[in-house]
Amino acid sequence: MTPVRYLKGVGPGRSALLESLGLTTALDVLHHYPRRYEDRQNLCPIRNLKEGDQATICGQITSVTRARTRGGKPIVRARVADESGTLDLIWFGRSYLYRNLRKEPELYLFGGVRRDGRLQMINPEVEQIGSDESIHTNRIVPIYPVTAGISQRVMRKILWCALERHGNQTVEFLPSDLRRERRLADLREAIAQIHFPDTDRDREEARRRLAFDEFFLLEAGLAVRRGRRRRSKKRRFPVTAEIDRRIRRRFPFQLTEGQEDAVRDIVADLAGPFSTYRLIQGDVGSGKTVVALYFLLAVIAHKGQGALMAPTEALADQHYHTVSQILSGSRVRILRLAGGQGAKKRKEDLQKLEGGSVDLVVGTHAVIQGDVRFRRLEALVIDEQHKFGVLQRAALKEKGDEPEVLVMTATPIPRTLSLTLYGDLDLTLIRGMPPGRKPVTTRWVRRAQRAESYRFLKAEMKAGRQVFVVYPLIEESKDLQIRSAVKMYEELSGEVFAGFTVGLLHGRLGREEREKALKGFREGVIQLLVSTIVIEVGIDIPNASVMVVEHAERFGLAQLHQLRGRIGRGPHKSACLLFGDPKTPQGKERLAVMETAPDGFQIAEEDLRIRGAGEFFGTRQSGMPPLRLADPIRDLPLLEEARRDAFRIVELDPRLQREEHLPLRRALIHRLGERLSLADVG
Ligand code: ADP
Ligand code: MG
């Protein structure tokens, strides 16, 4: 592959600059797509020029002079004429033009038209007709991402030459029948047209093809990865009628239809030939916990070990509490592995795990890290996945085990994300809610309406209900002027809600205090719980009917929906009050969305739309290859097509060894190999 320094127009200096843009080979350069385009194609007769136009003209130089500014900068002045009239031209700092224009007076010019007595153009782009091709004017002109030291003109010229000399280094990797079926342009043609399009339509065709490629390679990578994982299962876990009965006997309720669907998928995974790697999506409160427990117990019934991981210690506590209750009196041995428990206790716990005298461990991600060893970890549940990065998934792999994995997210993932970021997981959606769930009314409360809200809270508490008040931060921040939870706690408990029991919960409390606060609230001793974001996920207290969120504008929509999901779990009518005075229209739009959109999926889509894809994609951490042309939101149909095609091909030919797939395999390794750790596709 040709290094950039051997490209025409690139010396050592420019090659260093190109490398700083991440371009090291000719092929990289060919895939350095324009950021946008300027339409410089319609030639305008000089007579028709108006002040303020951006125009391309074609004419002949009739006179040219040079001079210097007072600062000593060279100035070239010229006059150009076509059949309709004449125009003045001025360039600063480009003295070489003086000679060029005299030698080759026929040219295209592109620039802004202004008037200083006569009409003129200052520093117009020039292209001499004598030179063989039109690059900078008289066409749709590409504008590139560049860096100091490389101008648009230089970059354009480099691309032009690279296309001419190295364009044939791009190898078509899409099977031809696929290309025909999807009506996709030929790769070389697409690369040529994305840089120097003949028409807008050609450019759009090129973009479609190259965007498809980005999705297609990503999805093919995910498909290969998934396929590889699917070869690795050592042991199956058939769920017999007896096992099923024993598990269900533990549940205090009938599963909902949505839960039954999920259980069916899980049972099929466990009994099937491939390891489970499934994402369970369900709105907040849809009842994911028992589904997870079913999965864990099914594996434990086969004498495997299971782990249930939550994103925070508080949520791990809650899970431990729930699980212990459901399993009380059973033979399942449960361990709560928490941070900060003392060296001696920890050592004992770890020994139990390794020795196999524990069946189920509950904790945070620390459970699969560092010195923790299992005798036989065979089932893993990662709850509330949005809190876990892709990193933890990677850490899992390093453990060396290949457990059955269930990932559960309470924040419904927009379709675009589940097709890309989580694209190698199987998906299950829990539809519907357990019976008796009351819809939550959401209101956005402005400053002036606070007193009224407080009266409402008191009335609720007098009626026996409980209230959450959530703050985004725990300490006073001078910059942000956020009233801290601590301070508010004092204010609320001492003044506003004197006579009610008010509790405080935040991440910096010691473990014991935290547990005490949660316990008090769970048991109804505490009527109003002032809390930071630690309660964001998973806390389940049916008697709580009001959720107040302070500085609601500082939370993400998904987070707000999470918070709202903490209430409406009991038989009572519930309300979520979003306190906030956002300044921006966007901020107002976001709170308004919360008032009207009831369902997490809608909110997730809105959130993604308002915040833009950039936040999710293109970030290094996400482990995603960069999408340069493709936009997963705007191009969703294309993404879906590419995914279908890629998965179909990999299904037929998992190692991409067929003759017709070799170019695809090479492209995959070349473009995504490192990122998706696909170096060993074969
Ligand atoms: P999430 O999906 O948000 O994790 P949980 O698993 O915490 O939801 O369940 C929310 C509440 O619904 C819990 O109180 C749980 O006991 C209850 N629940 C779950 N499934 C059912 C069911 N099938 N019938 C009645 N209540 C249920
Ligand atoms: Mg949950």
Side-chain angles (χ1 to χ4, degrees):
M1 224 152 289
T2 316
V4 282
R5 66 178 176 283
Y6 297 130
L7 291 181
K8 194 169 169 220
V10 182
R14 278 181 188 161
S15 79
L17 291 171
L18 288 177
E19 277 165 28
S20 78
L21 288 170
L23 312 176
T24 57
T25 67
L27 212 52
D28 295 337
V29 170
L30 292 174
H31 286 288
H32 187 62
Y33 305 133
R35 181 156 51 82
R36 61 184 181 87
Y37 300 84
E38 271 175 19
D39 188 347
R40 302 180 183 174
Q41 46 188 344
N42 293 322
L43 284 184
C44 183
I46 290 176
R47 187 170 29 146
N48 294 1
L49 292 176
K50 289 186 308 297
E51 202 176 346
D53 284 353
Q54 288 281 328
T56 303
I57 60 171
C58 177
Q60 172 130 24
I61 297 294
T62 54
S63 69
V64 55
T65 62
R66 59 183 164 178
R68 287 193 178 271
T69 62
R70 272 192 216 113
K73 245 184 154 190
I75 305 180
V76 176
R77 288 174 194 280
R79 181 161 290 179
V80 63
D82 67 6
E83 280 146 23
S84 72
T86 64
L87 177 72
D88 287 348
L89 309 168
I90 305 172
W91 288 274
F92 294 95
R94 285 162 71 177
S95 58
Y96 62 90
L97 277 173
Y98 176 72
R99 204 172 321 146
N100 287 4
L101 294 180
R102 284 164 56 108
K103 215 160 63 191
E104 280 179 32
E106 305 235 342
L107 41 78
Y108 290 112
L109 293 157
F110 171 81
V113 179
R114 33 167 281 164
R115 181 182 291 282
D116 184 7
R118 287 171 45 85
L119 284 184
Q120 57 178 217
M121 280 185 179
I122 295 189
N123 289 334
E125 293 266 5
V126 187
E127 184 141 45
Q128 280 156 307
I129 295 176
S131 65
D132 43 8
E133 303 283 351
S134 167
I135 305 181
H136 309 292
T137 55
N138 194 32
R139 60 155 42 260
I140 299 172
V141 174
I143 310 290
Y144 290 98
V146 288
T147 180
I150 296 199
S151 66
Q152 287 296 336
R153 284 181 76 86
V154 167
M155 189 58 111
R156 225 173 271 141
K157 188 79 186 175
I158 291 172
L159 251 309
W160 183 266
C161 297
L163 275 170
E164 203 150 65
R165 299 195 172 193
H166 306 284
N168 60 3
Q169 287 189 8
T170 57
V171 178
E172 181 58 73
F173 59 86
L174 289 183
S176 52
D177 48 344
L178 168 62
R179 241 177 52 223
R180 223 171 305 121
E181 193 185 323
R182 296 291 185 204
R183 294 176 202 283
L184 292 163
D186 164 76
L187 180 58
R188 266 176 217 170
E189 184 60 19
I191 298 252
Q193 289 292 328
I194 199 78
H195 291 291
F196 295 98
D198 292 328
T199 64
D200 283 338
R201 203 169 146 183
D202 290 328
R203 176 176 51 111
E204 192 32 53
E205 288 287 290
R207 195 196 81 86
R208 184 164 161 274
R209 159 69 210 249
L210 297 171
F212 183 91
D213 284 2
E214 292 179 354
F215 287 145
F216 181 82
L217 287 173
L218 168 64
E219 294 297 337
L222 292 170
V224 167
R225 197 158 74 170
R226 179 169 176 275
R228 212 170 33 191
R229 209 185 46 243
R230 283 169 70 86
R231 294 199 289 267
S232 64
K233 183 145 156 176
K234 293 182 203 89
R235 194 152 92 99
R236 301 191 186 197
F237 304 90
V239 181
T240 60
E242 170 62 13
I243 293 176
D244 178 74
R245 199 178 54 77
R246 272 179 11 223
I247 296 173
R248 285 176 192 266
R249 209 175 48 199
R250 298 257 144 224
F251 297 157
F253 36 64
Q254 287 248 302
L255 297 188
T256 65
E257 261 174 58
Q259 288 169 323
E260 288 292 355
D261 289 344
V263 164
R264 207 168 306 128
D265 286 345
I266 286 170
V267 167
D269 287 346
L270 288 175
F274 309 119
S275 301
T276 312
Y277 202 53
R278 184 170 291 280
L279 177 67
I280 305 261
Q281 295 194 64
D283 209 343
V284 190
S286 59
K288 293 182 291 294
T289 314
V290 290
V291 171
L293 203 53
Y294 188 103
F295 169 78
L296 292 164
L297 292 176
V299 170
I300 291 170
H302 286 273
K303 307 268 179 287
Q305 280 179 316
L308 174 55
M309 305 201 312
T312 64
E313 296 287 355
L315 184 54
D317 284 343
Q318 150 117 1
H319 275 327
Y320 179 68
H321 176 84
T322 311
V323 171
S324 305
Q325 247 180 2
I326 291 184
L327 295 182
S328 74
S330 83
R331 275 172 305 181
V332 179
R333 294 157 300 179
I334 314 169
L335 172 71
R336 167 77 176 95
L337 193 68
Q341 274 182 327
K344 181 152 170 286
K345 166 120 175 29
R346 182 168 179 88
K347 199 164 157 228
E348 282 169 20
D349 285 348
L350 293 184
Q351 270 168 3
K352 281 191 208 156
L353 264 183
E354 194 163 5
S357 59
V358 161
D359 303 304
L360 174 58
V361 57
V362 181
T364 66
H365 57 276
V367 161
I368 54 155
Q369 282 171 348
D371 55 348
V372 185
R373 271 181 200 58
F374 292 83
R375 197 173 72 91
R376 193 171 195 174
L377 176 61
E378 288 188 297
L380 180 70
V381 175
I382 306 174
D383 194 12
E384 322 290 1
Q385 162 78 7
H386 69 293
K387 286 278 165 179
F388 283 87
V390 179
L391 284 180
Q392 270 86 9
R393 283 207 264 157
L396 225 192
K397 214 170 156 233
E398 279 156 28
K399 274 265 108 159
D401 301 309
E402 294 263 5
E404 311 285 305
V405 178
L406 203 61
V407 176
M408 311 219 291
T409 139
T411 310
I413 299 170
R415 192 160 165 65
T416 44
L417 284 170
S418 58
L419 290 180
T420 50
L421 271 185
Y422 301 94
D424 59 336
L425 284 85
D426 299 315
L427 293 183
T428 295
L429 202 64
I430 299 188
R431 289 173 212 279
M433 291 282 172
R437 203 51 61 84
K438 296 280 182 309
V440 175
T441 315
T442 301
R443 277 198 50 209
W444 166 20
V445 178
R446 280 76 158 178
R447 194 170 304 281
Q449 304 158 316
R450 266 180 199 233
E452 185 193 329
S453 296
Y454 286 150
R455 277 197 295 280
F456 169 69
L457 298 191
K458 284 181 194 164
E460 283 289 298
M461 288 190 282
K462 279 194 188 127
R465 305 286 83 76
Q466 289 167 280
V467 177
F468 284 110
V469 178
V470 181
Y471 286 83
L473 287 183
I474 63 158
E475 267 164 25
E476 196 84 20
S477 155
K478 275 187 203 125
D479 310 323
L480 303 174
Q481 308 241 309
I482 294 176
R483 282 169 293 175
S484 74
V486 181
K487 195 171 139 220
M488 264 324 262
Y489 161 71
E490 281 158 11
E491 202 175 309
L492 292 183
S493 58
E495 299 162 33
V496 185
F497 297 114
F500 296 93
T501 40
V502 179
L504 175 66
L505 179 67
H506 63 70
R508 302 226 180 132
L509 288 179
R511 188 179 159 67
E512 245 167 64
E513 283 171 290
R514 230 168 41 215
E515 271 171 11
K516 205 174 120 209
L518 262 181
K519 185 158 172 283
F521 197 57
R522 190 176 287 122
E523 289 170 358
V525 181
I526 293 174
Q527 293 171 288
L528 183 148
L529 185 66
V530 177
S531 159
T532 61
I533 200 68
V534 290
I535 64 143
E536 176 192 343
V537 279
I539 300 290
D540 185 30
I541 295 171
N543 192 48
S545 67
V546 187
M547 166 73 56
V548 175
V549 183
E550 274 282 357
H551 301 288
E553 73 277 5
R554 296 185 190 280
F555 289 94
L557 291 192
Q559 271 180 316
L560 288 176
H561 183 63
Q562 272 289 314
L563 288 169
R564 176 165 73 182
R566 297 306 113 216
I567 53 171
R569 292 181 165 226
H572 319 291
K573 208 165 161 327
S574 299
C576 174
L577 306 180
L578 304 175
F579 285 11
D581 296 275
K583 304 280 179 295
T584 63
Q586 234 200 38
K588 290 177 184 164
E589 189 188 350
R590 295 170 71 248
L591 291 189
V593 163
M594 290 304 299
E595 282 191 307
T596 52
D599 135 4
F601 282 93
Q602 235 170 311
I603 290 188
E605 299 282 353
E606 288 288 315
D607 202 16
L608 191 57
R609 180 182 64 74
I610 297 174
R611 282 200 283 174
E615 194 148 323
F616 295 95
F617 304 97
T619 55
R620 281 254 177 87
Q621 286 142 308
S622 72
M624 285 260 299
L627 299 175
R628 296 178 203 160
L629 291 172
D631 176 339
I633 299 177
R634 202 184 45 184
D635 302 321
L636 181 59
L638 195 65
L639 168 57
E640 288 176 329
E641 282 176 10
R643 179 175 175 88
R644 260 199 305 279
D645 294 340
F647 272 71
R648 198 185 56 212
I649 287 176
V650 173
E651 188 112 334
L652 288 174
D653 182 11
R655 291 156 172 259
L656 299 176
Q657 279 170 324
R658 291 192 195 168
E659 186 68 32
E660 71 267 30
H661 296 152
L662 292 183
L664 167 58
R665 184 170 161 198
R666 251 176 256 125
L668 206 53
I669 291 174
H670 175 67
R671 290 219 225 159
L672 300 185
E674 271 172 51
R675 277 199 187 77
L676 293 178
S677 57
L678 290 173
D680 52 339
V681 172

